[in-house]
């Protein structure tokens, strides 16, 4: 750890520990991974260095009015220059696995040729993680599409799926043997709906038909990439990451119950059905009539190629009622706990979704919770960050995971979002999700009390495993 990292106050952190799970929890199993997650555009910075090309998020965040306070990822956490210290920090907090993403614009030029300097960065990162005994989970696409591909239509252009497969081919050849688990896409729902359906995220387009066609090409790219990954790096496992949402009905009326079901069709089945059943849910196009994507022969077979694991990202639930037609409208609940994002804290939603997926999908693969966490307005006081709400949030959600495991769902690990405070997309730097505080002016890292308690729990588990 270097001078840019404030040392943990471990003794204070473990006093009256409010985090450690009960002895009966499955989380004490040594084969249950506990890790931390990040994403390239949110932490790396160095957007003009060593041959990196512009991404859609460079373009979007530089457009006035698109990101809160005009923030961009140009510097972010400066991880591109501080990666060694950040990995030392990861190790000091006892995390057993690290989920990160590769920046597509950093590793290839416009002609698809490898960028040696960009690839070398990820090789060094992975090699150091291996030296530290940390399991490596690499995401190929966490939203930073090269801008030159968006200029040719982005995910609305079927060719982007084939270019994604080329990218997967290059990375899996270059990094073979260094990655324990590959994830093709992070949250295709966000890429398709927020990027092409309502314009909240890059590239900022807003058309329902765009969203469903972009989703189809994203999932096609996933299937094509999965086949390439299997060929090039057979010892690794392969999966995809889906963000899921729990929908609840505002009343017991049939209309509201159907509205809640359709919320979950739009948020969950839209992605999981093609992956695990080989077809889009018909109810999706009753909700969004006239938005059926162009699907060519063989596409669904490619998309539904078997997965070694499924990554699940969960943050909150949404209470809805019928809109009087085919859809739903949100009805915010009063007097419930919320995070800095305004999202309701509802751990039972994670438990219910996991158990429901187990019932609905006969071929449900093993699951990793690849993101779970919360934003709060954290401040450093006397060298410490006492993030009591986050500690409670994480403990309750881990208890929900434990309940799902005891109900028979094969959940193999949990990654807190995020290791570091970072660029939170359209919300810029205001919303802090990290278990490590980042001072964006000085780049000093300060582990929050949540990080220290997680480290203490993992140390306890290791001690028991070695006894």
């Amino acid at each position: 750890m270097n001078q840019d990292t404030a040392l943990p106050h471990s003794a204070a952190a473990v006093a009256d520990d409010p985090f450690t799970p009960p002895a009966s929890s499955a989380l004490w199993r040594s084969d249950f991974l506990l890790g931390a997650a990040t994403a390239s555009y949110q932490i790396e910075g160095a957007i003009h260095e060593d041959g990196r090309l512009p991404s859609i998020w460079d373009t979007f965040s530089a457009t006035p009015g698109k990101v809160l306070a005009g923030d961009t990822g140009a510097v972010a956490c400066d991880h591109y220059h501080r990666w060694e210290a950040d990995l030392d920090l990861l190790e000091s907090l006892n995390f057993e696995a690290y989920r990160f993403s590769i920046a597509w614009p950093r590793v290839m030029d416009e002609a698809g040729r490898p960028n040696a300097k960009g690839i070398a960065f990820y090789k060094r990162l992975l090699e150091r993680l291996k030296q530290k005994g940390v399991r490596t989970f690499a995401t190929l696409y966490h939203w930073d599409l090269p801008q030159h591909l968006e200029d040719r239509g982005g995910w609305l252009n079927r060719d982007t799926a084939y270019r994604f497969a080329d990218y997967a081919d290059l990375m899996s050849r270059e990094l073979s043997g260094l990655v324990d688990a590959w994830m093709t896409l992070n949250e295709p729902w966000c890429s398709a709906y927020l990027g092409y359906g309502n314009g909240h995220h890059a590239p900022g387009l807003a058309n329902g038909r765009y969203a469903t066609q972009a989703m189809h090409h994203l999932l096609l790219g996933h299937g094509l990439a999965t086949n390439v990954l299997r060929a090039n790096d057979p010892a690794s496992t392969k999966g995809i990451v889906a963000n899921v949402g729990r929908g609840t009905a505002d009343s017991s009326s049939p209309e509201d119950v159907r509205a809640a079901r359709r919320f979950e069709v739009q948020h969950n089945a839209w992605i999981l059905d093609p992956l695990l059943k080989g077809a889009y849910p018909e109810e999706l196009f009753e909700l969004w009539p006239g938005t059926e994507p162009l699907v060519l022969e063989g596409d669904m077979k490619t998309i539904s190629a078997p997965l070694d694991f499924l990554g699940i990202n969960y943050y909150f639930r949404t209470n809805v009622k019928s809109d009087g037609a085919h859809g739903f409208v949100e009805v915010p609940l009063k007097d419930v706990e919320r995070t800095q994002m305004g999202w309701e804290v509802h751990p039972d939603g994670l438990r219910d979704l996991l158990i429901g997926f187990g019932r609905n999908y006969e071929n449900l693969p093993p699951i990793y919770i690849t993101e779970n966490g919360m934003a709060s307005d954290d401040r450093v006081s006397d060298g410490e960050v006492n993030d009591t709400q986050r500690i409670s949030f994480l403990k309750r959600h881990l208890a929900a995971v434990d309940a799902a495991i005891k109900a028979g769902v094969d959940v193999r690990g949990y990654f807190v979002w995020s290791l570091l405070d970072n660029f939170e997309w359209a919300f810029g730097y205001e919303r802090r999700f990290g278990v490590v505080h980042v001072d964006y002016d000085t780049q000093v890292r300060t582990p929050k009390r949540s990080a220290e308690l997680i480290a203490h729990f993992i140390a306890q588990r290791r001690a028991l495993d070695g006894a």
Side-chain angles (χ1 to χ4, degrees):
M1 204 175 300
N2 72 5
Q3 62 183 358
D4 292 331
T5 303
L7 291 172
H9 296 71
S10 300
V14 300
D16 192 26
D17 182 349
F19 177 79
T20 299
S24 60
S25 173
L27 276 58
W28 284 98
R29 291 186 344 216
S30 60
D31 62 346
F32 186 89
L33 275 183
L34 286 166
T38 63
S40 52
Y41 191 74
Q42 293 181 267
I43 67 168
E44 284 182 1
I47 63 173
H48 301 299
E49 292 190 38
D50 292 339
R52 182 190 177 278
L53 300 178
S55 78
I56 57 174
W57 270 95
D58 297 318
T59 303
F60 189 77
S61 61
T63 303
K66 296 297 186 182
V67 175
L68 192 65
D71 292 336
T72 77
V75 177
C77 304
D78 196 30
H79 175 73
Y80 190 74
H81 301 115
R82 300 169 185 266
W83 66 272
E84 293 176 277
D86 285 342
L87 295 194
D88 288 346
L89 178 58
L90 181 84
E91 181 182 36
S92 77
L93 297 174
N94 293 331
F95 283 114
E96 301 163 320
Y98 181 48
R99 177 185 172 229
F100 69 100
S101 76
I102 297 167
W104 188 351
R106 200 178 288 285
V107 296
M108 300 178 82
D109 69 10
E110 289 192 26
R113 293 172 300 215
N115 175 24
K117 289 183 178 180
I119 294 169
F121 170 73
Y122 295 108
K123 281 186 177 178
R124 291 192 298 270
L125 185 82
L126 285 161
E127 287 167 352
R128 185 65 58 85
L129 288 165
K130 287 291 187 183
Q131 291 168 7
K132 292 178 179 296
V134 177
R135 295 279 299 277
T136 54
F137 284 64
T139 306
L140 283 169
Y141 185 68
H142 201 127
W143 307 353
D144 43 0
L145 183 71
Q147 182 61 46
H148 66 89
L149 291 178
E150 181 58 38
D151 293 341
R152 301 206 297 264
W155 291 109
L156 298 178
N157 184 348
R158 184 182 177 92
D159 184 63
T160 301
Y162 297 101
R163 301 291 72 77
F164 181 67
D166 291 343
Y167 161 52
D169 178 53
L170 173 64
M171 298 317 299
S172 55
R173 282 188 285 107
E174 292 282 352
L175 304 178
S176 179
L178 294 173
V179 175
D180 292 307
W182 289 100
M183 290 152 285
T184 53
L185 306 174
N186 177 75
E187 300 186 348
W189 186 93
C190 292
S191 296
Y193 186 75
L194 300 181
Y196 293 88
N198 73 1
H200 183 63
H201 280 184
L205 303 181
N207 182 295
R209 178 65 187 277
Y210 287 175
T212 55
Q213 192 64 62
M215 176 66 80
H216 184 68
H217 292 155
L218 282 154
L219 295 179
L220 178 62
H222 151 77
L224 294 168
T226 299
N227 291 334
V228 169
L229 294 170
R230 290 199 186 285
N232 290 348
D233 196 9
S236 62
T237 57
K238 292 84 183 172
I240 188 173
V241 173
N243 60 302
V244 297
R246 179 70 170 122
T248 55
D250 193 52
S251 78
S252 59
S253 74
E255 295 80 10
D256 286 354
V257 171
R258 184 182 70 169
R261 184 182 70 246
R262 288 195 161 175
F263 173 90
E264 293 196 0
V265 166
Q266 193 248 40
H267 277 74
N268 308 334
W270 184 18
I271 296 90
L272 298 183
D273 276 17
L275 291 170
L276 301 175
K277 294 183 176 180
Y280 290 106
E282 291 184 6
E283 204 166 6
L284 179 70
F285 304 113
E286 296 172 8
L287 178 62
W288 291 338
T291 65
E292 294 86 343
L294 175 63
V295 178
L296 301 187
E297 185 176 354
D299 283 2
M300 301 313 295
K301 182 178 180 180
T302 299
I303 289 169
S304 59
L307 297 168
D308 297 323
F309 68 92
L310 174 65
I312 291 292
N313 295 353
Y314 173 82
Y315 289 96
F316 60 96
R317 71 133 167 214
T318 303
N319 189 65
V320 301
K321 68 177 183 180
S322 171
D323 66 356
H326 301 291
F328 54 81
V329 292
E330 181 177 357
V331 184
L333 294 170
K334 298 179 181 179
D335 302 321
V336 297
E337 180 185 357
R338 296 188 181 275
T339 71
Q340 188 189 21
M341 295 291 287
W343 298 342
E344 182 193 356
V345 178
H346 188 68
D348 287 352
L350 177 57
R351 177 202 63 202
D352 295 345
L353 286 170
L354 291 173
I355 293 172
F357 295 155
R359 291 172 179 162
N360 192 37
Y361 299 105
E362 294 181 358
N363 59 337
L364 185 71
I367 287 172
Y368 289 94
I369 306 303
T370 37
E371 287 183 28
N372 180 237
M374 60 155 286
S376 55
D377 184 19
D378 300 320
R379 310 291 176 91
V380 179
S381 177
D382 296 326
E384 298 183 359
V385 182
N386 190 13
D387 54 338
T388 54
Q389 187 186 13
R390 180 174 292 102
I391 293 164
S392 174
F393 178 102
L394 295 175
K395 181 171 184 175
R396 285 178 285 162
H397 282 80
L398 283 164
V401 172
D402 180 52
I405 292 171
K406 290 174 178 173
V409 184
D410 186 2
V411 185
R412 301 197 177 175
Y414 174 98
F415 292 77
V416 63
W417 183 269
S418 171
L419 175 64
L420 304 171
D421 290 338
N422 55 52
F423 177 79
E424 183 46 39
W425 307 111
F427 294 101
Y429 294 102
E430 183 185 77
R431 316 292 166 93
R432 292 181 176 271
F433 275 89
V435 294
V436 174
H437 181 278
V438 177
D439 183 317
Y440 297 115
D441 294 326
T442 65
Q443 292 296 340
V444 167
R445 275 78 158 134
T446 304
K448 303 175 187 179
R449 189 164 185 247
S450 59
E452 296 165 356
L453 290 171
I454 292 169
H456 176 60
F457 167 54
I458 297 173
Q460 287 181 291
R461 200 172 68 167
R462 287 177 181 170
L464 285 174
D465 193 44

